[in-house]
Amino acid sequence: MVRQMLSTPQGTSLTFSTPNLHRVIQLLDFASEKVVKHVEGKAHSIGLSSPSAASSSHDLVSDVQQTMQQLQSVKLVEVEDTKMPVVAPLSSSKNNLVGVDANLLQLKDRLTNMQTKLEIIPITGMGGIGKSTLARNLYDDQLIITHFDYRGWAAISQLPNMRDILLSLLRCPIEKIDDELKGRNKNELKDILYKRLFGRRYMIVLDDIWITNFWDEIRMYLPNNNNGSRIMITTRESHVAQYVANSKGPHYDMQLLNMSASWDLLRQTVFGEEDCPLELQGIGSKIASECGGLPLAIHVIGGILSKVERSKDVWEQISTDVKASIVDSDERFSNILSLSYNHLPIYLKPCFLYMGALPEDHQIKESRLTSLWIAEGFLKSNGDKSLEEEAKDYLKLLVERNLLLVTRKKSNGKALSYSIHDLLRDLCIRKANEEKFLHVKDSMRRVSVESSYDMEDVCASPQLMSFARSFICTNDKINISPVFGILRLVRVLDVLDMLFEEFPKEILQLVNLRYLAINCPSGLPDGISRLQNLQTLISAHFVRYVPSELWEMYELIHIRLKHTIIKIKKMKFDLKKLQTLYIVWISPDLISSGFFERIPNIIRLGIYYEDSPNIVVDLSHLHKLEILYCNSELDKDGSRFLHKLRFPSNLRKLSLHSCVVFRSLLTTLCTLPNLEVLKIVECVFQREGEGEAEEEWEATEGGEFRSLLFLQLESLNLVHWKANETNFPKLRTLFVVGCYKLEEIPNAMGDIPTLQQIHIRECGASIVASAQQILKVQQEEYDNFDLKLYIR
């Protein structure tokens, strides 16, 4: 297919008729889904706890029996992993519980307060973060022991054995299991547990819950005695905690330790009550920091350090590769982290493993990560949702399973970028190599280059590289030009961190490309339309030239060109798949060509005005448009264009830069029911029709931004601002930046019940004083200590 496409004259459409191939794909999908459902169904129904479990998996319908035989060995390996014995907390000593003092007191209060109704207290967090250790410290606390009539602890694990769990709960600290109980069946044990708990104030700990089915089965045997009984659960799965607690009461989500707490825990693990020698404190602190705040990792490395010579030379040798020391020395550590991977549904595993292709401590934007997943073919649309919506759901699931961390949030509080813990990244790389998911010596399906050594490895295997589907380079010091001629079948080419003075023409031969991220100031070349499969085009640099043939590429979904103003005179074709486009120059020719009718599914759009302020730009028919960026030049007539702009009703985020703002515009914005984020930056407020500066923004009565969560006012000519809580009923965050003329923030803004943060940057003393007064009143008169003020 590639050879045929490259031999076809440029501009000639080339199609392939492959009905048999599509039929084969459908059959394979059907067969694999049937096998997976059957195996997983067997696993849950019998618990895979006996030798008969393996043989039972052969009872498949005849049309998938052969496929099952091929998958059998793979599935059994996963089963053996999940049957690993339940691991007790590495330490139950209170001295080894660091960094959670305040939360320990809060949890203790929740366990022993006067609330009579049965309360469920979830503790969530990633594997190894200390959930079981915290629960054990509470369980063994003397106050807890004396407060409850009965206490029970059970470790649940991935494949819960209900009979063993019931016996564990009946084996409470003060009552032993007798032979009679051991001989009872599961249903009898449930009845015994219920009778034993009925009427007593009890505390039950269900440690390490993975699935909601288990809770559905056991909940009816844990009575609500209305006497202050408590159930505490620990889980890596946030959605399980949400389900079990029925969204009532706060969850305690354990966080990674900071540098100070990490060193405290390591010092206690190695030295106990002894003092750490002065010469080891610096290198010890460095070793602790390499654990990334994960208590399990600190315990493991502490165990190593406690057994070696206490000398600076030995500790420095260990510090050269702390992660390797942890993983190599304690198989249990790897197994604990691997449980999270093994428990992932099949469709999430490649998305998780893909994080191993990114550099250590790398933060990746949601939009970039989801585009990569889509280009890789990890997602399939079920018809109800777009691939982008499916990808966001996948991200949410990985966050809920505490495998990905949200590192930055958008203005409306939603996730902006993600990262992965270093030790989980090592797990990704290890699993990816086992699965031949990332490049290894005999397979280069997906290639990630971070160093010159990696590049040498790649260039030494040109034949294998010719089959690569992905190439990601994150080092701007490497010459990767020779690679372009090898990557004949590549789908993903991400070289955003490198600067190319000229666009490499070899890239135009990569006709399978779906994702291209490049940094090239010379512009996009003629012939770009040869990349007929391209879905995402990203440039990290201002691009001088954009060929018109770009608008003939029907598969394009995202075009993100940094600071680039695209002049489009006309488009011949509808780009129905296009969802992102930044930034389009508004001109009479563009409007007359019906450009906005040709991008009906656009979600994110940037537009630029310079001249012709009287052009009516009607975006009201773009029902999917959620994010709009408007830019202009203040000294041009076009900066007054906003009063001629018709907004879509579904708009969620609006950014206005270097524009003239009239009072009528603000009235119009109040009518947008879904507007959550409003940024007004370097704009001039003017009186309508007079051309004179308007120094006051008075929010009119009934002028309600009903859904606004985030408001940013930056570098404006405003002197007076009048508003109250009814104008911004849901506002959470207020940013005021560089507004030197503005005298104060309206006092009534402090009465907004949802307001959480006020940020003041580079403003005059009077506005700072007004913000401080708002905070003082809220704290002293209303005991509102949730409102935070940040001044810079």
Side-chain angles (χ1 to χ4, degrees), residues 575-580 599-603 622 624-625:
L575 297 183
K576 293 184 178 180
K577 295 185 179 181
L578 194 64
Q579 296 181 12
T580 303
I599 53 171
N601 295 309
I602 199 77
I603 295 175
L622 297 177
K624 295 185 179 180
L625 183 60

Side-chain angles (χ1 to χ4, degrees), residues 50 102 174 206 244 285 300 355 363 382 449 466 478 496 502 518 592 599 601 715 737 789:
S50 66
I174 58 173
L206 302 175
V244 172
S285 181
V300 173
M355 300 302 291
Q363 294 186 24
N382 60 10
V449 174
S466 66
I478 301 175
L496 199 65
E502 296 292 332
I518 193 167
S592 62
I599 53 171
N601 295 309
S715 302
V737 183
L789 174 62

Side-chain angles (χ1 to χ4, degrees), residues 14 21 46 49 55 67 79 88 170 243 258 298 307 328 347 357 394 399 439 481 495-496 525 561 565 595 610 616 683:
L14 182 64
L21 178 60
I46 62 177
S49 57
S55 62
T67 312
V79 169
L170 291 168
Y243 181 87
N258 60 28
I298 297 170
K307 295 174 184 175
D328 295 342
Y347 62 87
Y394 284 18
V399 171
H439 73 281
S481 298
V495 288
L496 199 65
L561 305 180
I565 299 172
F595 170 75
E610 189 171 283
V616 175
C683 293

Side-chain angles (χ1 to χ4, degrees), residues 368-587:
R368 187 175 175 188
L369 183 56
T370 54
S371 295
L372 283 166
W373 285 353
I374 291 169
E376 291 283 1
F378 294 161
L379 297 101
K380 292 182 181 180
S381 176
N382 60 10
D384 298 328
K385 293 182 177 180
S386 67
L387 291 177
E388 283 72 19
E389 289 171 326
E390 289 280 356
K392 289 179 180 179
D393 287 345
Y394 284 18
L395 273 170
K396 183 180 177 183
L397 288 171
L398 289 172
V399 171
E400 286 178 348
R401 292 166 185 268
N402 288 287
L403 290 172
L404 288 188
L405 305 171
V406 176
T407 50
R408 290 175 60 201
K409 292 187 176 182
K410 300 177 185 177
S411 307
N412 58 5
K414 296 180 181 179
L416 173 65
S417 59
Y418 300 82
S419 67
I420 187 171
H421 192 279
D422 290 349
L423 289 163
L424 279 176
R425 177 178 175 271
D426 290 346
L427 171 69
C428 275
I429 294 171
R430 195 165 64 253
K431 292 291 184 182
N433 285 337
E434 291 173 8
E435 303 282 349
K436 296 187 178 181
F437 182 87
L438 295 177
H439 73 281
V440 289
K441 290 295 182 185
D442 58 346
S443 174
M444 291 201 173
R445 193 73 169 183
R446 296 175 185 85
V447 180
S448 176
V449 174
E450 296 183 39
S451 66
S452 299
Y453 175 80
D454 292 335
M455 194 62 193
E456 291 172 8
D457 193 25
V458 165
C459 292
S461 309
Q463 188 171 1
L464 287 175
M465 276 294 293
S466 66
F467 294 104
R469 299 303 198 272
S470 308
F471 184 83
I472 300 173
C473 183
T474 54
N475 189 325
D476 61 354
K477 302 294 191 295
I478 301 175
N479 178 22
I480 63 169
S481 298
V483 173
F484 295 139
I486 306 174
L487 297 168
R488 308 296 282 177
L489 304 178
V490 72
R491 292 178 175 182
V492 170
L493 180 61
D494 192 332
V495 288
L496 199 65
D497 294 327
M498 313 187 72
L499 180 64
F500 297 90
E501 294 298 334
E502 296 292 332
F503 191 95
K505 292 297 176 65
E506 297 90 343
I507 291 179
L508 299 181
Q509 306 294 311
L510 309 180
V511 291
N512 276 330
L513 268 185
R514 297 180 182 177
Y515 179 102
L516 174 60
I518 193 167
N519 188 351
C520 179
S522 65
L524 302 174
D526 293 330
I528 190 73
S529 61
R530 183 177 285 278
L531 306 180
Q532 295 178 16
N533 297 302
L534 197 64
Q535 298 172 344
T536 299
L537 174 61
I538 300 174
S539 173
H541 201 285
F542 175 80
V543 174
R544 291 197 299 269
Y545 174 67
V546 179
S548 60
E549 63 187 90
L550 187 69
W551 314 114
E552 300 173 11
M553 299 171 66
Y554 317 114
E555 297 296 322
L556 277 171
I557 300 174
H558 305 291
I559 301 176
R560 303 188 188 101
L561 305 180
K562 189 172 185 181
H563 305 311
T564 300
I565 299 172
I566 307 168
K567 291 186 178 181
I568 307 173
K569 292 187 177 179
K570 62 179 180 179
M571 276 179 26
K572 299 178 183 178
F573 311 102
D574 292 353
L575 297 183
K576 293 184 178 180
K577 295 185 179 181
L578 194 64
Q579 296 181 12
T580 303
L581 178 59
Y582 288 104
I583 299 171
V584 179
W585 187 309
I586 301 296
S587 67

Side-chain angles (χ1 to χ4, degrees), residues 133-147:
T133 304
L134 176 59
R136 177 63 69 175
N137 271 265
L138 289 163
Y139 185 79
D140 291 336
D141 187 274
Q142 192 58 43
L143 175 63
I144 302 297
I145 293 172
T146 56
H147 182 77

